[in-house]
Amino acid sequence: MLDVLDKELEKRGHHFVRYADDCNIYVRSQRAGERVLAGIERVLARRLKLKVSKAKSAVARPNVRKFLGFSFTSGKEPRRRIAPQAIARFKARVRELTRRTRGVSLPQIVKELSVYLIGWRGYFGFCQTPSVLRALDEGTRRRLRAIAWKQWRHGRTRFAELQRCGVGRDLAAQTAGSPLGPWRLAASPALHIALSNAALRLLGLASVAEPRRS
């Protein structure tokens, strides 16, 4: 149905991208954007009897708007970045899958979580801001370490598990007796040794920053 819109934009020489009814048109200035938006609203109303949503449409810089979960960085050489709304949804879903009250074993949580991470990376791995992906991985691993600490529950169990996972006796004792909560201790040296990145990979944890290994 919107092929008419594509042909009109091509005829006018505009740079644009469209997926279904989601369309971005790129011009050089605010004034040009306002003129083009008004013109396209007339075309859609006259030729297709469609009304542009005022709530969802705007003239703005590319780094402010989003398209299919992506946006752009500002600067002379813009890069594709994941839109803030998409990152917020990712974090919310990870929190949901890693709730400490679920009563599920850590390997099972990792299994369920990895299905989501693999699919998410398959879509958003196209971004050009790898530091963002690495930060999301770090946050996910920290949540898993907090879960393990919570599941170990008591000081003696925590001390024994830390030692079993390669933590030295003194550090294990100091950490097991700490009054800090699971989230704080998830960033501690002891938990990074006990549940290292490599150890979590062995459990099957997928990464959004690195391609899936065969």
Side-chain angles (χ1 to χ4, degrees), residues 45-66:
R46 184 176 67 251
R47 299 179 60 181
L48 296 176
K49 303 297 186 284
L50 295 175
K51 186 176 181 180
V52 173
S53 170
K54 297 291 186 182
K56 296 181 180 179
S57 302
V59 178
R61 293 183 178 275
N63 63 306
V64 175
R65 303 295 289 173
K66 66 180 180 68

Side-chain angles (χ1 to χ4, degrees), residues 155-172:
R156 289 184 179 181
T157 304
R158 290 168 172 173
F159 175 72
E161 288 292 338
L162 288 174
Q163 282 207 297
R164 184 182 65 80
C165 294
V167 180
R169 182 180 180 84
D170 290 345
L171 181 57

Side-chain angles (χ1 to χ4, degrees), residues 124-150:
F124 287 104
F126 183 63
C127 77
Q128 295 174 309
T129 51
S131 62
V132 173
L133 299 179
R134 290 193 294 270
L136 294 176
D137 268 348
E138 290 171 6
T140 300
R141 289 191 293 263
R142 185 172 178 178
R143 289 195 66 85
L144 292 173
R145 292 178 182 122
I147 288 172
W149 191 250
K150 186 73 172 179

Side-chain angles (χ1 to χ4, degrees), residues 98-115:
T98 57
R99 289 198 312 272
R100 295 196 292 270
T101 57
R102 292 182 64 202
V104 180
S105 69
L106 188 63
Q108 182 62 30
I109 291 173
V110 167
K111 182 179 179 180
E112 295 175 9
L113 179 61
S114 291
V115 171

Side-chain angles (χ1 to χ4, degrees), residues 14-61:
H14 292 312
H15 296 286
F16 70 97
V17 56
R18 180 176 71 81
Y19 182 84
D21 64 345
D22 197 350
C23 183
N24 281 8
I25 305 168
Y26 301 101
V27 295
R28 291 185 178 276
S29 67
Q30 180 80 16
R31 178 179 293 182
E34 292 168 355
R35 184 179 66 249
V36 169
L37 178 58
I40 293 305
E41 286 177 338
R42 288 193 296 270
V43 168
L44 291 173
R46 184 176 67 251
R47 299 179 60 181
L48 296 176
K49 303 297 186 284
L50 295 175
K51 186 176 181 180
V52 173
S53 170
K54 297 291 186 182
K56 296 181 180 179
S57 302
V59 178
R61 293 183 178 275

Side-chain angles (χ1 to χ4, degrees), residues 90 94 97-98 106-122 140 144 200-201 203-208 212:
F90 171 89
V94 169
L97 290 169
T98 57
L106 188 63
Q108 182 62 30
I109 291 173
V110 167
K111 182 179 179 180
E112 295 175 9
L113 179 61
S114 291
V115 171
Y116 174 70
L117 297 179
I118 291 168
W120 195 88
R121 180 188 163 74
T140 300
L144 292 173
L200 291 172
R201 280 197 298 270
L203 279 179
L205 180 64
S207 165
V208 296
R212 188 180 182 187

